[in-house]
Amino acid sequence: MSQRRGHDVRTAISWLGYHALCEANRPAYIQYAERRITDRAEAGRCVDAVLSALKDRWITVLGSQCPAAGIWTDLRIETERRTPRAGSRAGRLHAILRPAQADIVILHHDLGLPVERAAHLMGMTNPIAHALLRGAQRDLGTQFEE
């Protein structure tokens, strides 16, 4: 196989990865964005903007230490930018908790995702996700079921 052909194959595989990530994660990204933004159409536009920007730098993102964490940070920033100032539950959580704590609570408790799936979306390990949930319980003075 020529060097050029090998490059083409690696490029095609990396783009398959991009499309697989979008297909696998877009529904959860939209659910999260909708909780933050409270408007389904705007949540869809938000996620589309994040994924479009991701596409432009996909190869670079793949070379990062934890692509999922970087993508999640981009999504959090974009939803924050688009979030109305009205006091939704997600907005209140973000006002009280650290960003990662608020996000894990939204994903796990509000959206009903298993901790493992939420951790994967956010680009963190399961033990860190569980620790964030315990910290959120302590900070909110409430008990969550894990």
Side-chain angles (χ1 to χ4, degrees), residues 8-45:
D8 291 345
V9 169
R10 284 189 302 277
T11 300
I13 290 170
S14 73
W15 285 113
L16 285 173
Y18 168 79
H19 291 289
L21 176 131
C22 291
E23 186 174 321
N25 294 346
R26 189 174 191 279
Y29 289 166
I30 288 176
Q31 288 179 313
Y32 167 81
E34 188 175 10
R35 288 292 173 134
R36 298 283 319 270
I37 298 169
T38 68
D39 178 278
R40 184 156 182 80
E42 185 62 17
R45 287 189 292 273

Short mmCIF file of all heavy atoms in Angstrom, two decimals, residues 8-45:
data_model
loop_
_atom_site.label_atom_id
_atom_site.label_comp_id
_atom_site.label_asym_id
_atom_site.label_seq_id
_atom_site.Cartn_x
_atom_site.Cartn_y
_atom_site.Cartn_z
N ASP A 8 -5.02 8.14 3.13
CA ASP A 8 -6.43 8.24 2.76
C ASP A 8 -7.29 7.32 3.62
O ASP A 8 -8.38 7.69 4.04
CB ASP A 8 -6.63 7.90 1.28
CG ASP A 8 -6.04 8.95 0.35
OD1 ASP A 8 -5.74 10.07 0.81
OD2 ASP A 8 -5.87 8.63 -0.85
N VAL A 9 -6.79 6.12 3.88
CA VAL A 9 -7.53 5.16 4.70
C VAL A 9 -7.65 5.69 6.13
O VAL A 9 -8.73 5.66 6.72
CB VAL A 9 -6.86 3.77 4.68
CG1 VAL A 9 -7.45 2.85 5.73
CG2 VAL A 9 -6.97 3.16 3.29
N ARG A 10 -6.56 6.20 6.70
CA ARG A 10 -6.60 6.75 8.07
C ARG A 10 -7.56 7.95 8.13
O ARG A 10 -8.31 8.09 9.10
CB ARG A 10 -5.21 7.14 8.53
CG ARG A 10 -4.34 5.96 8.92
CD ARG A 10 -3.05 6.40 9.59
NE ARG A 10 -2.24 7.27 8.76
CZ ARG A 10 -1.39 6.87 7.80
NH1 ARG A 10 -1.25 5.58 7.57
NH2 ARG A 10 -0.70 7.74 7.11
N THR A 11 -7.53 8.78 7.11
CA THR A 11 -8.42 9.94 7.09
C THR A 11 -9.88 9.49 7.03
O THR A 11 -10.73 10.01 7.75
CB THR A 11 -8.09 10.85 5.88
OG1 THR A 11 -6.75 11.30 6.02
CG2 THR A 11 -9.02 12.05 5.82
N ALA A 12 -10.17 8.51 6.18
CA ALA A 12 -11.55 8.00 6.07
C ALA A 12 -12.00 7.40 7.39
O ALA A 12 -13.14 7.63 7.83
CB ALA A 12 -11.63 6.96 4.95
N ILE A 13 -11.13 6.66 8.04
CA ILE A 13 -11.49 6.06 9.33
C ILE A 13 -11.74 7.14 10.38
O ILE A 13 -12.69 7.06 11.16
CB ILE A 13 -10.40 5.07 9.78
CG1 ILE A 13 -10.43 3.83 8.88
CG2 ILE A 13 -10.58 4.67 11.25
CD1 ILE A 13 -9.26 2.89 9.07
N SER A 14 -10.92 8.19 10.38
CA SER A 14 -11.12 9.24 11.38
C SER A 14 -12.45 9.95 11.14
O SER A 14 -13.14 10.31 12.09
CB SER A 14 -9.96 10.23 11.40
OG SER A 14 -9.97 11.05 10.27
N TRP A 15 -12.84 10.14 9.88
CA TRP A 15 -14.13 10.79 9.60
C TRP A 15 -15.29 9.87 9.95
O TRP A 15 -16.35 10.35 10.37
CB TRP A 15 -14.20 11.26 8.15
CG TRP A 15 -13.36 12.48 7.97
CD1 TRP A 15 -12.21 12.60 7.25
CD2 TRP A 15 -13.55 13.75 8.61
NE1 TRP A 15 -11.69 13.86 7.39
CE2 TRP A 15 -12.49 14.59 8.21
CE3 TRP A 15 -14.52 14.27 9.47
CZ2 TRP A 15 -12.37 15.91 8.65
CZ3 TRP A 15 -14.39 15.58 9.90
CH2 TRP A 15 -13.33 16.38 9.49
N LEU A 16 -15.10 8.58 9.79
CA LEU A 16 -16.13 7.65 10.26
C LEU A 16 -16.31 7.79 11.77
O LEU A 16 -17.43 7.73 12.27
CB LEU A 16 -15.75 6.21 9.90
CG LEU A 16 -15.92 5.80 8.45
CD1 LEU A 16 -15.35 4.40 8.22
CD2 LEU A 16 -17.38 5.86 8.03
N GLY A 17 -15.21 7.98 12.47
CA GLY A 17 -15.28 8.20 13.91
C GLY A 17 -16.05 9.46 14.26
O GLY A 17 -16.86 9.46 15.20
N TYR A 18 -15.83 10.52 13.50
CA TYR A 18 -16.57 11.78 13.72
C TYR A 18 -18.07 11.53 13.56
O TYR A 18 -18.87 11.91 14.41
CB TYR A 18 -16.10 12.87 12.76
CG TYR A 18 -17.00 14.07 12.75
CD1 TYR A 18 -16.92 15.02 13.76
CD2 TYR A 18 -17.97 14.24 11.77
CE1 TYR A 18 -17.77 16.12 13.78
CE2 TYR A 18 -18.82 15.32 11.77
CZ TYR A 18 -18.73 16.25 12.77
OH TYR A 18 -19.57 17.33 12.79
N HIS A 19 -18.44 10.89 12.46
CA HIS A 19 -19.86 10.65 12.20
C HIS A 19 -20.47 9.69 13.23
O HIS A 19 -21.62 9.88 13.64
CB HIS A 19 -20.06 10.15 10.77
CG HIS A 19 -19.78 11.22 9.76
ND1 HIS A 19 -20.60 12.30 9.56
CD2 HIS A 19 -18.74 11.39 8.91
CE1 HIS A 19 -20.10 13.09 8.64
NE2 HIS A 19 -18.96 12.56 8.22
N ALA A 20 -19.70 8.70 13.66
CA ALA A 20 -20.18 7.78 14.69
C ALA A 20 -20.41 8.52 16.01
O ALA A 20 -21.42 8.31 16.69
CB ALA A 20 -19.20 6.63 14.88
N LEU A 21 -19.47 9.39 16.37
CA LEU A 21 -19.62 10.18 17.60
C LEU A 21 -20.88 11.03 17.52
O LEU A 21 -21.67 11.07 18.46
CB LEU A 21 -18.40 11.07 17.83
CG LEU A 21 -18.54 11.99 19.04
CD1 LEU A 21 -17.32 11.90 19.92
CD2 LEU A 21 -18.79 13.41 18.61
N CYS A 22 -21.07 11.70 16.39
CA CYS A 22 -22.26 12.56 16.24
C CYS A 22 -23.54 11.73 16.37
O CYS A 22 -24.47 12.13 17.08
CB CYS A 22 -22.23 13.27 14.90
SG CYS A 22 -20.94 14.53 14.78
N GLU A 23 -23.58 10.59 15.70
CA GLU A 23 -24.78 9.75 15.74
C GLU A 23 -25.04 9.21 17.14
O GLU A 23 -26.18 9.18 17.60
CB GLU A 23 -24.64 8.60 14.75
CG GLU A 23 -25.91 7.79 14.62
CD GLU A 23 -25.81 6.74 13.53
OE1 GLU A 23 -25.22 7.02 12.48
OE2 GLU A 23 -26.32 5.63 13.77
N ALA A 24 -23.99 8.80 17.82
CA ALA A 24 -24.15 8.21 19.15
C ALA A 24 -24.48 9.24 20.22
O ALA A 24 -25.25 8.96 21.14
CB ALA A 24 -22.87 7.46 19.54
N ASN A 25 -23.91 10.43 20.12
CA ASN A 25 -24.01 11.40 21.22
C ASN A 25 -24.98 12.55 20.98
O ASN A 25 -25.40 13.20 21.94
CB ASN A 25 -22.63 11.96 21.55
CG ASN A 25 -21.71 10.91 22.09
OD1 ASN A 25 -22.13 9.82 22.47
ND2 ASN A 25 -20.44 11.21 22.14
N ARG A 26 -25.32 12.83 19.74
CA ARG A 26 -26.17 13.99 19.45
C ARG A 26 -27.48 13.98 20.25
O ARG A 26 -27.85 15.02 20.81
CB ARG A 26 -26.45 14.09 17.95
CG ARG A 26 -27.13 15.39 17.56
CD ARG A 26 -27.25 15.51 16.03
NE ARG A 26 -27.67 16.84 15.66
CZ ARG A 26 -28.93 17.26 15.68
NH1 ARG A 26 -29.89 16.44 16.08
NH2 ARG A 26 -29.24 18.50 15.34
N PRO A 27 -28.21 12.85 20.34
CA PRO A 27 -29.46 12.89 21.12
C PRO A 27 -29.24 13.32 22.59
O PRO A 27 -30.00 14.14 23.11
CB PRO A 27 -29.98 11.45 21.04
CG PRO A 27 -29.39 10.92 19.76
CD PRO A 27 -28.02 11.54 19.69
N ALA A 28 -28.20 12.79 23.23
CA ALA A 28 -27.93 13.18 24.62
C ALA A 28 -27.47 14.63 24.69
O ALA A 28 -27.85 15.36 25.63
CB ALA A 28 -26.88 12.26 25.24
N TYR A 29 -26.66 15.07 23.73
CA TYR A 29 -26.23 16.47 23.70
C TYR A 29 -27.45 17.39 23.59
O TYR A 29 -27.53 18.42 24.26
CB TYR A 29 -25.31 16.73 22.51
CG TYR A 29 -23.93 16.13 22.56
CD1 TYR A 29 -23.15 16.08 21.41
CD2 TYR A 29 -23.37 15.61 23.73
CE1 TYR A 29 -21.87 15.55 21.41
CE2 TYR A 29 -22.10 15.07 23.74
CZ TYR A 29 -21.35 15.05 22.58
OH TYR A 29 -20.08 14.53 22.59
N ILE A 30 -28.41 17.02 22.74
CA ILE A 30 -29.60 17.85 22.57
C ILE A 30 -30.44 17.85 23.85
O ILE A 30 -30.93 18.91 24.27
CB ILE A 30 -30.43 17.40 21.36
CG1 ILE A 30 -29.69 17.79 20.08
CG2 ILE A 30 -31.83 18.02 21.38
CD1 ILE A 30 -30.35 17.32 18.80
N GLN A 31 -30.59 16.70 24.48
CA GLN A 31 -31.35 16.66 25.74
C GLN A 31 -30.71 17.58 26.78
O GLN A 31 -31.41 18.32 27.48
CB GLN A 31 -31.42 15.24 26.28
CG GLN A 31 -32.32 14.33 25.50
CD GLN A 31 -32.33 12.93 26.10
OE1 GLN A 31 -31.27 12.37 26.40
NE2 GLN A 31 -33.51 12.38 26.28
N TYR A 32 -29.39 17.50 26.91
CA TYR A 32 -28.68 18.36 27.86
C TYR A 32 -28.89 19.83 27.50
O TYR A 32 -29.24 20.64 28.35
CB TYR A 32 -27.19 18.00 27.87
CG TYR A 32 -26.33 19.03 28.56
CD1 TYR A 32 -26.21 19.03 29.95
CD2 TYR A 32 -25.65 20.00 27.85
CE1 TYR A 32 -25.44 19.98 30.59
CE2 TYR A 32 -24.87 20.95 28.48
CZ TYR A 32 -24.77 20.94 29.86
OH TYR A 32 -24.01 21.88 30.49
N ALA A 33 -28.69 20.15 26.23
CA ALA A 33 -28.82 21.55 25.79
C ALA A 33 -30.24 22.06 26.02
O ALA A 33 -30.44 23.20 26.42
CB ALA A 33 -28.42 21.68 24.32
N GLU A 34 -31.21 21.20 25.78
CA GLU A 34 -32.60 21.61 25.99
C GLU A 34 -32.87 21.91 27.47
O GLU A 34 -33.61 22.84 27.80
CB GLU A 34 -33.56 20.54 25.47
CG GLU A 34 -35.00 20.99 25.49
CD GLU A 34 -35.94 19.98 24.87
OE1 GLU A 34 -35.52 18.85 24.57
OE2 GLU A 34 -37.11 20.34 24.69
N ARG A 35 -32.29 21.13 28.37
CA ARG A 35 -32.44 21.41 29.80
C ARG A 35 -31.83 22.76 30.16
O ARG A 35 -32.36 23.48 30.99
CB ARG A 35 -31.78 20.32 30.66
CG ARG A 35 -32.49 19.02 30.65
CD ARG A 35 -33.82 19.15 31.37
NE ARG A 35 -34.58 17.93 31.22
CZ ARG A 35 -35.19 17.32 32.20
NH1 ARG A 35 -35.18 17.82 33.42
NH2 ARG A 35 -35.86 16.23 31.97
N ARG A 36 -30.71 23.07 29.53
CA ARG A 36 -30.03 24.34 29.82
C ARG A 36 -30.73 25.51 29.16
O ARG A 36 -30.90 26.57 29.76
CB ARG A 36 -28.57 24.30 29.34
CG ARG A 36 -27.67 23.28 29.97
CD ARG A 36 -27.16 23.63 31.35
NE ARG A 36 -26.77 24.98 31.61
CZ ARG A 36 -25.56 25.50 31.45
NH1 ARG A 36 -24.58 24.76 31.00
NH2 ARG A 36 -25.32 26.75 31.77
N ILE A 37 -31.12 25.35 27.90
CA ILE A 37 -31.63 26.47 27.10
C ILE A 37 -33.15 26.59 27.21
O ILE A 37 -33.70 27.67 27.06
CB ILE A 37 -31.20 26.30 25.62
CG1 ILE A 37 -29.67 26.31 25.53
CG2 ILE A 37 -31.79 27.37 24.73
CD1 ILE A 37 -29.11 25.89 24.19
N THR A 38 -33.83 25.49 27.45
CA THR A 38 -35.30 25.38 27.60
C THR A 38 -36.05 25.61 26.29
O THR A 38 -37.25 25.85 26.32
CB THR A 38 -35.87 26.29 28.72
OG1 THR A 38 -35.73 27.66 28.35
CG2 THR A 38 -35.22 26.01 30.06
N ASP A 39 -35.40 25.53 25.16
CA ASP A 39 -36.05 25.66 23.85
C ASP A 39 -35.46 24.59 22.94
O ASP A 39 -34.26 24.63 22.65
CB ASP A 39 -35.82 27.06 23.28
CG ASP A 39 -36.44 27.23 21.91
OD1 ASP A 39 -35.80 26.79 20.92
OD2 ASP A 39 -37.54 27.80 21.82
N ARG A 40 -36.29 23.63 22.52
CA ARG A 40 -35.78 22.49 21.75
C ARG A 40 -35.12 22.92 20.44
O ARG A 40 -34.07 22.40 20.09
CB ARG A 40 -36.89 21.48 21.48
CG ARG A 40 -36.36 20.23 20.76
CD ARG A 40 -37.25 19.03 21.00
NE ARG A 40 -36.76 17.84 20.40
CZ ARG A 40 -35.80 17.06 20.89
NH1 ARG A 40 -35.22 17.38 22.01
NH2 ARG A 40 -35.43 15.95 20.27
N ALA A 41 -35.72 23.84 19.72
CA ALA A 41 -35.15 24.27 18.44
C ALA A 41 -33.79 24.94 18.66
O ALA A 41 -32.83 24.67 17.93
CB ALA A 41 -36.10 25.21 17.71
N GLU A 42 -33.71 25.79 19.67
CA GLU A 42 -32.44 26.45 19.96
C GLU A 42 -31.41 25.45 20.47
O GLU A 42 -30.22 25.56 20.17
CB GLU A 42 -32.64 27.58 20.98
CG GLU A 42 -31.41 28.40 21.25
CD GLU A 42 -30.87 29.16 20.05
OE1 GLU A 42 -31.60 29.34 19.05
OE2 GLU A 42 -29.69 29.58 20.10
N ALA A 43 -31.85 24.45 21.22
CA ALA A 43 -30.94 23.40 21.67
C ALA A 43 -30.35 22.66 20.47
O ALA A 43 -29.15 22.38 20.43
CB ALA A 43 -31.66 22.43 22.60
N GLY A 44 -31.17 22.36 19.49
CA GLY A 44 -30.69 21.71 18.28
C GLY A 44 -29.68 22.57 17.54
O GLY A 44 -28.64 22.07 17.08
N ARG A 45 -29.96 23.86 17.43
CA ARG A 45 -29.01 24.77 16.78
C ARG A 45 -27.70 24.86 17.56
O ARG A 45 -26.62 24.92 16.98
CB ARG A 45 -29.64 26.16 16.60
CG ARG A 45 -30.71 26.20 15.52
CD ARG A 45 -31.17 27.61 15.22
NE ARG A 45 -31.91 28.21 16.30
CZ ARG A 45 -33.23 28.08 16.49
NH1 ARG A 45 -33.95 27.36 15.65
NH2 ARG A 45 -33.83 28.68 17.50
#
